[in-house]
């Protein structure tokens, strides 16, 4: 099932021709309408007519989150505010927020990307889709909302929180699709189980999840809990919102809507463009955006891309799940490690719950990592010896995965914080001293 | 300026013909498609063909919130779930919630009512509209959102909370329109003033407010604080959401979108339909709703209606602001009083802030009312004698307005709760004993 079969299965040569045409007109519009690009490109002595092939995109300078912040609020708009129909922004916990502006056509393009994804997940007009992503300035809720309207499903725009009410509505309304962040999904399932409701019995056909990091183990846990497949949705407010990449039924990478976003992978240090299947930082370009075209945005998200045709029949490139961020890497004892590695390691140990916190300290001159992990109630009943064994197992598993020795502390079930938005699992106390 | 001049200024005779046709088809569809109506109308021995004039609507039984609850979740839907594109529900603090279902056409009809209102307020495609109503199951946020899309304004879907961020965005984005509940609006203004920002300088052109009770004094306060006009928006989730009635520039009552809602006023005790300009309970009927037609809904909201042509040129009936609810009347010492009366009384006394709580107790066998009122900081500096004088003034003003003696307690500024949604100003402790 395809939402837009012609585009989604387009032979790659045709697709690339389409991309080139759209890239050329995007760069031209940006150069002509937006002083920021005009200045940057003039300084770099690269002009719209220099884009003769897709590869020529590499001549263009990158744009970073800082550049977007400096253009706050509307400095990157290519149209008059009259044409803008909706405004979103990132949370701006560090510095000024980043604003995202949408024309009517942009809102429709955004909905199109999500509609393709919902169709991949098997969600259509017969379905009832419960959307636990937050609405507001955050784009998570609205992206899914507009996509749901487009495919004609009945959206329940419940947003995050009120977990017991969520479960009641899920059951009473007969939701067949769920959208959540993995950590909130697991929390939902846990609360349902506490109340004697087996999430598997709710008749959920498909789950879309995103807006925070995850591992295959987390996905498996979600799928087991709800007894159905869970599909990853990737996107970011700067580029439009969720919908940049969505998994198909094969679950072998997220199809990037390549007629709408042009992806590149670069080495975050040298900034060189890397080849297929080589991990690096994702760089994205809006090919289809009227309100605020963003060209060569450094996402800081680490992934790799394959252009091999997918077993689902789609020709659009697939990105792997994000394995970390080039800037939330924790450097400990000179080694770069990612929270996702620790998550993977401890999920390999059967007795650990997928709830954990990583605390990095520097008591003297050396870095130390402590990983607090929730274990099942049973372990606590089994006594100290058993707990020591589990602690050792987890420690070894983490050392295996990261090459680093960490201190493991087991804590009782439900004592670590649950996250209703993006999980914040790393506490780096080294900067406090 | 009209959004839909032909409909909004239609001669009443034509309008009534249009209403009759829509009423007939609504009743017919409800009778044929919805078992609830089929049963109720059959029992009352009234059938679709009995609706020959608008007056014949009085033959139909009323529907109440309890009826809607008993139809939970989808018992009042006239279409297959396949046709439903969005689901909302009331909060359900008492008993099961009420569900509201929308087809694609219903969402458009809903947007149409708000688009008319935004146009009355002077909000159009050049404007930036900051919507502080909550999104989610509540209809407040989405109604305004869809209406804003329709008129082509740029919506900032910020929803409630994060007050300092709200003010920053208002300023930085150059919002020209605001949507809020009166109590949240006053809170916003107070916080802005604390931060040295005069809300009057923000360049707000128009304010739409609703979702809670208000008085003319509260409106005046809001208008003074923001230096612009504030327009009332009325609606309820059961019927669709906000947009049933909206004020025009004359601010002499809310124009009911009469081609979409058929209004009646009844005596809440005898249930007799009352004439023009006679206060009573508002009863509403959906004339245009596919998903879930609600016929003769007892809103419990008290108001009156005039059919006189408005100075703005619109022919649609105007309802007065809601003066109370037939069921949130506080009966004290046998007298019915409304929080709005107390609000009015204490706002007449210049020294009181519009923040207050009403506490009803029954220490022995007699009811007592205590009104806690915030006063300005100055009063506290003026000493006990001055405070006693203010206390007396407020007490007399309330007695004047309600005919009842109450105990007045002055409290320091900012010590009473602020409400970000519907204000809950009455604490009735009589039921606790
Ligand atoms: Zn595929
Ligand atoms: Zn008028």
């Amino acid at each position: 099932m395809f939402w837009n079969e012609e585009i989604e299965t387009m032979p790659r040569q045709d697709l690339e021709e389409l991309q080139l045409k759209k890239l050329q007109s995007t760069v031209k519009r940006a150069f002509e309408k937006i002083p920021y690009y005009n200045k940057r490109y003039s300084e770099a002595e690269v002009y719209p007519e220099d884009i003769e092939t897709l590869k020529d995109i590499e001549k263009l300078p990158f744009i970073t989150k800082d550049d977007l912040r400096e253009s706050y609020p509307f400095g990157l708009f290519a149209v008059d505010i009259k044409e803008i129909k909706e405004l979103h922004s990132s949370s701006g916990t560090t510095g000024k927020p980043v604003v995202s502006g949408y024309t009517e056509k942009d809102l429709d393009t955004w909905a199109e990307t999500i509609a393709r994804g919902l169709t991949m997940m098997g969600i259509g007009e017969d379905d009832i889709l419960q959307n636990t992503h937050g609405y507001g300035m955050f784009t998570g809720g609205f992206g899914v909302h507009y996509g749901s309207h487009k495919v004609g499903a009945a959206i329940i725009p419940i947003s995050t929180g009120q977990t017991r009410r969520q479960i009641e509505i899920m059951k009473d309304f007969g939701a067949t699709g769920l959208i959540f962040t993995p950590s909130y999904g697991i929390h939902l399932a846990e609360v349902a189980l506490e109340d004697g409701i087996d999430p598997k019995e709710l008749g959920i056909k498909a789950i879309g999840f995103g807006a925070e990091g995850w591992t295959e183990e987390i996905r498996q846990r979600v799928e087991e809990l709800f007894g159905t497949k869970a599909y990853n949705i990737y996107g970011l407010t700067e580029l439009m919102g969720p919908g940049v990449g969505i998994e198909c039924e094969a679950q072998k990478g997220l199809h990037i809507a390549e007629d709408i976003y042009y992806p590149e992978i670069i080495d975050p240090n040298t900034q060189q463009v890397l080849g297929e299947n080589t991990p690096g930082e994702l760089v994205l370009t809006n090919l289809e955006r009227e309100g605020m075209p963003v060209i060569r945005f450094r996402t800081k998200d680490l992934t790799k891309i394959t252009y091999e045709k997918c077993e689902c029949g789609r020709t659009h490139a697939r990105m792997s799940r994000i394995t970390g961020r080039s800037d939330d890497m924790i450097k400990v004892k000179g080694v770069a490690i990612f929270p996702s590695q620790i998550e993977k390691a401890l999920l390999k140990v059967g007795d650990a719950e997928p709830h954990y916190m990583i605390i990095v300290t520097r008591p003297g001159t050396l870095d130390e990592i402590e990983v607090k992990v929730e274990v099942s109630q049973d372990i606590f009943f089994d006594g100290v010896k058993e707990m020591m064994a589990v602690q050792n197992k987890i420690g070894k598993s983490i050392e295996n995965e990261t090459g680093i020795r960490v201190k493991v502390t087991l804590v009782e079930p439900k004592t670590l914080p649950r996250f209703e938005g993006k999980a914040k699992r790393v506490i780096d106390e080294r900067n406090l001293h």
Side-chain angles (χ1 to χ4, degrees), chain A residues 236-252:
Chain A
L236 53 186
T237 299
E238 291 84 351
L239 269 286
M240 198 100 101
V244 171
I246 306 185
E247 282 183 318
C248 67
E249 60 269 31
Q251 293 182 312
K252 288 179 180 159

Side-chain angles (χ1 to χ4, degrees), chain A residues 3 8 45 86 161 265 276 312 360 378 401 408 416 430:
Chain A
W3 175 254
E8 292 176 76
E45 290 182 27
E86 192 161 325
I265 297 290
E276 191 165 5
C312 73
V360 191
D378 297 347
E401 192 67 35
V408 175
L416 293 180
R430 290 175 299 184

Side-chain angles (χ1 to χ4, degrees), chain A residues 151-178:
Chain A
V151 299
I155 187 98
I156 307 174
I158 195 163
S159 84
T160 317
Q162 293 188 277
T163 303
R164 289 207 149 73
R165 191 173 169 219
Q166 297 261 7
I167 294 162
E168 202 176 314
I169 283 185
M170 216 178 282
K171 201 161 55 89
D172 293 347
F173 289 18
T176 57
L178 294 178

Side-chain angles (χ1 to χ4, degrees), chain A residues 3-208:
Chain A
W3 175 254
N4 189 336
E5 187 165 1
E6 194 198 331
I7 290 285
E8 292 176 76
T9 63
M10 188 175 260
R12 282 213 65 84
Q13 202 183 325
D14 299 349
L15 180 60
E16 284 165 16
E17 270 170 36
L18 182 66
Q19 286 181 310
L20 178 59
K21 250 197 295 187
K22 289 188 178 191
L23 177 65
Q24 286 168 331
S25 82
T26 298
V27 171
K28 189 160 181 288
R29 277 187 69 238
F31 185 79
E32 286 169 2
K33 307 258 184 190
I34 308 170
Y36 166 86
Y37 288 109
N38 194 289
K39 184 157 173 285
R40 287 293 302 280
Y41 293 178
S42 300
E43 280 166 7
E45 290 182 27
V46 51
Y47 300 94
E49 52 275 21
D50 297 330
I51 307 298
E52 290 172 8
T53 68
L54 280 175
K55 187 104 184 105
D56 289 333
I57 196 172
E58 296 175 24
K59 299 174 181 167
L60 300 171
F62 296 105
I63 185 167
T64 65
K65 193 147 182 155
D66 284 337
D67 295 324
L68 294 181
R69 283 206 187 99
E70 280 162 27
S71 310
Y72 178 86
F74 302 155
L76 279 178
F77 287 7
V79 299
D80 192 81
I81 187 73
K82 201 172 169 152
E83 303 298 320
I84 296 289
K85 300 308 167 207
E86 192 161 325
L87 292 159
H88 285 275
S89 79
S90 67
S91 58
T93 39
T94 51
K96 282 276 173 198
V98 169
V99 175
S100 209
Y102 306 78
T103 65
E104 197 173 343
K105 179 160 169 284
D106 291 338
L107 291 174
D108 188 62
T109 304
W110 189 14
E112 164 78 19
T113 62
I114 298 282
R116 291 184 197 168
L118 291 174
T119 307
M120 293 181 206
M121 292 163 54
I123 300 289
E125 60 174 11
D126 291 335
D127 288 288
I128 299 177
L129 184 62
Q130 187 156 337
N131 183 12
T132 80
H133 278 347
Y135 289 76
M137 298 310 275
F138 171 58
T139 48
F142 281 104
V144 170
H145 194 86
Y146 296 143
S148 174
H149 276 185
K150 205 169 189 75
V151 299
I155 187 98
I156 307 174
I158 195 163
S159 84
T160 317
Q162 293 188 277
T163 303
R164 289 207 149 73
R165 191 173 169 219
Q166 297 261 7
I167 294 162
E168 202 176 314
I169 283 185
M170 216 178 282
K171 201 161 55 89
D172 293 347
F173 289 18
T176 57
L178 294 178
I179 304 289
F180 51 56
T181 60
S183 54
Y184 189 58
I186 290 173
H187 177 60
L188 263 174
E190 283 178 350
V191 173
L193 287 167
E194 261 171 34
D195 292 356
I197 296 164
D198 184 349
K200 274 196 288 294
E201 317 264 279
L202 290 173
I204 304 299
K205 274 169 52 181
I207 291 163

Side-chain angles (χ1 to χ4, degrees), chain A residues 120 246-255 309-316 318:
Chain A
M120 293 181 206
I246 306 185
E247 282 183 318
C248 67
E249 60 269 31
Q251 293 182 312
K252 288 179 180 159
L254 296 80
H255 285 286
K309 189 172 170 178
C310 182
E311 59 192 66
C312 73
R314 288 179 182 80
T315 52
H316 288 214
R318 279 167 293 153

